[in-house]
């Protein structure tokens, strides 16, 4: 199975985002973490910054909203150029409607679950979304340790999707590296977010290739 890699700019140099993005152009997507200081205890960036990133990014933007009231805000991110918009199941009032509103703009829609949220919570949404994000750390901060206890959710979602005749991408986010990525892929993930393990090393293209190689074995 060929995997997609989405470097997370949360680990990049925020004073030089354009050149940081250019250095990861061999990846598949650019992961952008939007945090509001309420849904998670951290604050990052919002609509005007995402709009400019979409204009200059060499890769499609994969926007991960860790915000309250995604029902209101998610379609706005889709309208201004994000290729994919992910909202948290725990924050949404009407997840099915939120996904439909994102898709109506032409963007891909994805739903995310925190480590404490069971896979069952989103199984009846598998036909409504293009991707499910299984968080492999508590959302809010980069550089945390991968939580292997989240992996069975990927296997369960892969099986439930097949049963429903759906084929959403399955994404993991948090603590993904050459060491942990193969476990996530073996459990069913096909789309890998990685922050520190890609932007930490000086050779970002090499770091991306190392993760691809690790997942081939
Ligand atoms: C965490 C964010 C992640 C974060 C991952 O809440 O959603 O996208 O950047 O960072 P690493 O790969 O460093 O754990
Ligand atoms: Zn993220």
């Amino acid at each position: 199975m060929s995997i997609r890699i989405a470097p997370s700019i949360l680990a990049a140099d925020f004073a030089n985002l354009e050149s940081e993005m250019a250095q990861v152009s061999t990846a598949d997507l650019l992961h952008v973490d939007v945090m509001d200081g309420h849904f998670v205890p951290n604050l990052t960036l919002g609509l005007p910054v995402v709009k400019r990133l979409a204009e200059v990014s060499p890769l499609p933007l994969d926007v991960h909203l860790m915000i309250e009231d995604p029902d209101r805000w998610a379609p706005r991110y889709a309208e201004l150029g994000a290729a994919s918009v992910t909202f948290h199941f725990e924050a949404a009032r009407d997840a099915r409607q939120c996904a439909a509103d994102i898709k109506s703009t032409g963007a891909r829609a994805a739903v995310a679950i925190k480590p404490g949220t069971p896979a069952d919570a989103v199984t009846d949404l598998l036909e409504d979304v293009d991707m499910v994000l299984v968080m492999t750390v508590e959302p809010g901060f980069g550089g945390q340790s991968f939580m292997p206890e989240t992996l069975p959710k990927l296997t369960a979602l892969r099986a439930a999707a097949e049963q429903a005749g759906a084929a959403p991408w399955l994404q993991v986010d948090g603590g993904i590296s050459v060491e942990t990525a193969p476990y996530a892929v073996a459990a069913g993930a096909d789309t890998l977010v990685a922050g520190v393990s890609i932007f930490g090393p000086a050779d970002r293209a090499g770091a991306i290739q190392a993760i691809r190689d690790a997942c081939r074995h």
Side-chain angles (χ1 to χ4, degrees):
M1 182 174 56
S2 84
I3 56 152
R4 286 168 287 270
I5 298 191
S8 170
I9 57 157
L10 190 61
D13 177 357
F14 271 66
N16 293 290
L17 286 177
E18 191 168 10
S19 66
E20 293 283 85
M21 288 191 294
Q23 291 182 39
V24 296
S25 62
T26 56
D28 302 283
L29 304 162
L30 188 80
H31 188 80
V32 180
D33 290 301
V34 175
M35 306 187 190
D36 67 355
H38 292 276
F39 180 70
V40 289
N42 194 8
L43 184 67
T44 55
L45 47 85
L47 285 165
V49 178
V50 171
K51 180 168 183 284
R52 277 297 289 147
L53 293 176
E55 285 163 3
V56 301
S57 172
L59 296 172
L61 290 200
D62 170 41
V63 174
H64 176 195
L65 299 178
M66 285 160 277
I67 62 171
E68 290 181 351
D69 204 3
D71 307 70
R72 175 178 178 193
W73 295 106
R76 302 278 303 276
Y77 286 88
E79 279 160 9
L80 57 76
S84 174
V85 178
T86 302
F87 63 89
H88 267 268
F89 174 78
E90 301 85 357
R93 271 192 311 276
D94 184 342
R96 185 169 283 113
Q97 186 62 50
C98 189
D101 289 346
I102 294 167
K103 288 208 261 187
S104 73
T105 69
R108 295 171 59 88
V111 65
I113 51 174
K114 299 204 282 187
T117 302
D120 285 359
V122 292
T123 43
D124 63 352
L125 292 171
L126 290 170
E127 291 162 273
D128 302 297
V129 295
D130 299 298
M131 182 170 79
V132 179
L133 165 53
V134 173
M135 289 301 298
T136 43
V137 298
E138 285 298 337
F141 298 92
Q144 302 182 80
S145 297
F146 178 75
M147 297 170 66
E149 61 270 35
T150 59
L151 293 179
K153 292 198 276 188
L154 292 161
T155 313
L157 287 167
R158 183 62 75 200
E162 265 167 35
Q163 208 160 20
W169 295 357
L170 295 185
Q171 187 177 54
V172 285
D173 181 9
I176 298 297
S177 66
V178 283
E179 286 81 30
T180 59
Y183 293 100
V185 170
D190 54 24
T191 307
L192 313 177
V193 177
V196 169
S197 69
I198 289 176
F199 283 104
D203 177 7
R204 278 72 184 269
I208 291 164
Q209 192 56 46
I211 294 174
R212 289 198 201 281
D213 292 343
C215 293
R216 263 197 272 278
H217 306 301

